Amino acid sequence: MSERDADRRFAVVVAKPRTQAVIDALREEGVYDDDRSVRSWDGDSVAIPVTDPPQSVEVREVVEQVGEPRLRGLEDHLRERGWTDDELDAAPSSWAVVGSVVLVKLGDSPRPEEVGEALLALHGEADTVLARGGIDGAHREPDVTFLAGEGDTETIHTEHGTKYALDLAEVMFSPGNEAERVRMGKTVEEGETVLDMFAGIGYFTLPMARAGASVTAIERNPTAFRYLVENAMLNDVSERVTPYRADCRDVIREGLSSGEGLGGDGRVDRVMMGYYEAHEYLDSALSALSPGGVVHVHEATPDDLVFERPIGRLEAAAADADRSVEILDTRRVKGYSEGVAHVVVDARIE
């Protein structure tokens, strides 16, 4: 093989909105090249690196990239910009691509704008980079800062077939919860009735509805609610999603008193509590849950109280309602903050 042949590498050209779906399909076929970056191709498409032309993935065209530098990560891109070892030590260690937007935690990183430009070079499918701050207020609104690119914060993010339209400057999105969102789509059964008490833009509602569940989705943030309704239509599940812009306690109280909505008799087979302070609403959640139903409780818990505290709170709420608890599963989803973990407890309530 000549030196020129050894340097020859392939890429597939696809429309930019299909980037993540195509990458997932290429990974499944075993031809996605992790050693190279996705790069912009023209105004509306990207070139995704592959080890060989794919056989089962539909693409616009297969192209050759000869002599393309193998920049493996952010550090390589920053070194090209003259960063020293000390500066690289302070560079971001985590970021996520959400649709066409890169979300990055800057920490103590120097030269934030260069970080943004490097991330755009690393992720050709993205056109905007935002620095992530915290989540503030009763409506869980994100604090983000523009770093680089076009500045368009509205996007559509596709995750295992579920489409999420959102504005990352207006509503929260946690990339670290992806496994939980996917898991809930696999956990529910077709025909189940589900109450999602803190639905947001449809984080858990959408995969559950796509799996065939009928979901009562409650969200009081008007911006998130607008995207919730839009996303139900975007995923063709509007007939299985009943959205309410209200306080979840009011919806539950009305459903129980009228015997309508929720599960038809005011109660449901499953309750999703995907909010870190969900324990404050456990009494309402259990009142809406049919005997033998399942509740999924998310909580931000200090490391030394992981599982002990959320299980204790759940058992206390059940005792107050004269009901029993069977713990089905416990999971540590991710780190929430220093010394605090995001955990989930699944329990059957008799």
Side-chain angles (χ1 to χ4, degrees), residues 8-87:
R8 182 174 295 156
R9 302 177 180 94
F10 296 102
V12 294
V13 177
V14 301
K16 184 176 288 189
R18 295 186 61 220
T19 302
Q20 191 56 55
V22 171
I23 289 175
D24 291 343
L26 293 171
R27 286 189 192 279
E28 186 173 344
E29 188 175 320
V31 296
Y32 179 65
D33 189 347
D34 287 293
D35 284 345
R36 290 182 288 149
S37 303
V38 177
R39 296 181 180 272
S40 295
W41 184 254
D42 56 31
D44 64 349
S45 62
V46 296
I48 302 175
V50 292
T51 54
D52 291 292
Q55 301 300 310
S56 61
V57 184
E58 182 180 349
V59 300
R60 185 179 298 175
E61 61 178 315
V62 178
V63 297
E64 291 186 6
Q65 297 177 324
V66 180
E68 181 186 3
R70 287 180 175 260
L71 298 178
R72 300 176 68 92
L74 180 61
E75 181 176 320
D76 288 342
H77 285 273
L78 293 175
R79 282 193 185 279
E80 277 203 334
R81 288 165 168 78
W83 281 46
T84 66
D85 288 342
D86 287 342
E87 288 176 320

Side-chain angles (χ1 to χ4, degrees), residues 262-277:
L262 300 182
D265 61 353
R267 289 182 169 83
V268 295
D269 302 316
R270 191 179 300 269
V271 175
M272 165 57 65
M273 306 182 73
Y275 173 47
Y276 298 129
E277 300 298 328

Side-chain angles (χ1 to χ4, degrees), residues 174-242:
S174 178
N177 291 355
E178 177 179 353
E180 274 300 300
R181 291 189 287 269
V182 173
R183 191 184 73 88
M184 289 310 304
K186 296 178 179 179
T187 298
V188 298
E189 297 180 4
E190 187 171 358
E192 274 193 348
T193 55
V194 181
L195 170 63
D196 189 349
M197 295 177 65
F198 311 96
I201 64 170
Y203 311 107
F204 298 106
T205 288
L206 298 173
M208 290 190 293
R210 291 183 66 233
S214 296
V215 185
T216 299
I218 308 172
E219 176 55 46
R220 63 183 182 182
N221 179 329
T223 303
F225 180 80
R226 174 169 60 85
Y227 281 112
L228 170 64
V229 175
E230 179 181 336
N231 285 328
M233 293 186 289
L234 185 63
N235 287 275
D236 295 322
V237 294
S238 293
E239 292 184 356
R240 292 195 292 275
V241 175
T242 303

Side-chain angles (χ1 to χ4, degrees), residues 140-157:
R140 296 172 287 165
E141 296 168 338
D143 176 21
V144 298
T145 303
F146 170 74
L147 290 182
E150 297 179 5
D152 187 358
T153 58
E154 191 169 32
T155 189
I156 296 178
H157 177 63

Side-chain angles (χ1 to χ4, degrees), residues 112-193:
E113 292 79 8
E114 289 191 10
V115 172
E117 294 296 339
L119 286 169
L120 285 179
L122 182 62
H123 297 285
E125 71 272 32
D127 55 32
T128 296
V129 180
L130 301 176
R132 299 178 63 185
I135 303 295
D136 299 317
H139 287 169
R140 296 172 287 165
E141 296 168 338
D143 176 21
V144 298
T145 303
F146 170 74
L147 290 182
E150 297 179 5
D152 187 358
T153 58
E154 191 169 32
T155 189
I156 296 178
H157 177 63
T158 302
E159 194 174 82
H160 297 270
T162 301
K163 299 175 183 177
Y164 297 93
L166 72 163
D167 187 333
L168 289 160
E170 298 290 337
V171 296
M172 62 170 287
F173 190 87
S174 178
N177 291 355
E178 177 179 353
E180 274 300 300
R181 291 189 287 269
V182 173
R183 191 184 73 88
M184 289 310 304
K186 296 178 179 179
T187 298
V188 298
E189 297 180 4
E190 187 171 358
E192 274 193 348
T193 55

